[in-house]
Amino acid sequence: MHPLKALRRASVDLLSEAGLSVIVGGATREVTVLEQPPTGGAVPDDDLPALYCYVRSERIDGDSTRTDRRTVLLDFVLQASGTDQDALDQIDDIQLALEREIAASGRLGGLVMMIRPVGSEVRVERGEVVFAARRVTFEAMLLASRADPDVTLP
């Protein structure tokens, strides 16, 4: 499997199995983990709170004569249910759970050499700030064969 596909799938599998939840309007609600970004980037209201991920970029550098070091920016988009102050709390709580799960994953089960959060930003749509959504960026690094970059999920 291509390294980028493996990275996305390992991340989705990890977070789906974690059973993330947040408080919405005083009640605990499970966070929906989507396997693919939704069309148009907006998660249907019935599925909120939710998150999805995608690879924003990849840089490939030679590591040796046979392997390449791939440095990947992996974005997680977090979306809350509603738009009030509770939505900001949901986003903060989802980000905390996301960072904890990835940190505890043992480098996504050994798939990557390193994975760490490198930033986050509020989502902007058509020039308007959407406080009920945030993009959290992780940097991951992995090695793959130059002749055949196929990797296997751990």
Side-chain angles (χ1 to χ4, degrees):
M1 156 180 334
H2 191 276
L4 300 182
K5 183 177 182 179
L7 182 57
R8 282 186 300 104
R9 286 216 174 150
S11 299
V12 167
D13 289 350
L14 170 73
L15 298 171
S16 294
E17 292 169 10
L20 306 179
S21 62
V22 293
I23 304 298
V24 178
T28 301
R29 215 138 128 212
E30 189 171 321
V31 175
T32 304
V33 179
L34 300 166
E35 290 185 18
Q36 301 288 332
T39 303
V43 177
D45 287 347
D46 292 344
D47 294 335
L48 295 174
L51 67 81
Y52 59 90
C53 72
Y54 61 91
V55 172
R56 183 179 355 153
S57 67
E58 174 188 35
R59 188 179 71 244
I60 302 172
D61 297 304
D63 185 66
S64 71
T65 57
R66 295 184 184 142
T67 61
D68 287 325
R69 182 177 46 254
R70 293 172 177 252
T71 305
V72 179
L73 289 182
L74 181 66
D75 286 339
F76 292 87
V77 177
L78 320 177
Q79 290 187 263
S81 178
T83 57
D84 58 7
Q85 184 64 37
D86 183 52
L88 292 173
D89 292 342
Q90 291 173 51
I91 293 297
D92 291 338
D93 293 344
I94 295 169
Q95 183 171 346
L96 176 61
L98 168 69
E99 289 184 31
R100 282 179 171 165
E101 288 298 326
I102 290 180
S105 72
R107 297 182 330 273
L108 293 177
L111 175 66
V112 297
M113 296 169 45
M114 177 275 302
I115 185 165
R116 66 185 184 95
V118 293
S120 68
E121 57 189 34
V122 70
R123 182 147 176 188
V124 177
E125 290 180 13
R126 294 182 213 98
E128 296 293 320
V129 173
V130 179
F131 289 107
R134 180 180 300 155
R135 180 175 72 186
V136 180
T137 303
F138 280 75
E139 179 183 55
M141 188 180 308
L142 58 103
L143 293 177
S145 167
R146 185 170 297 139
D148 183 6
D150 185 42
V151 298
T152 303
L153 284 176

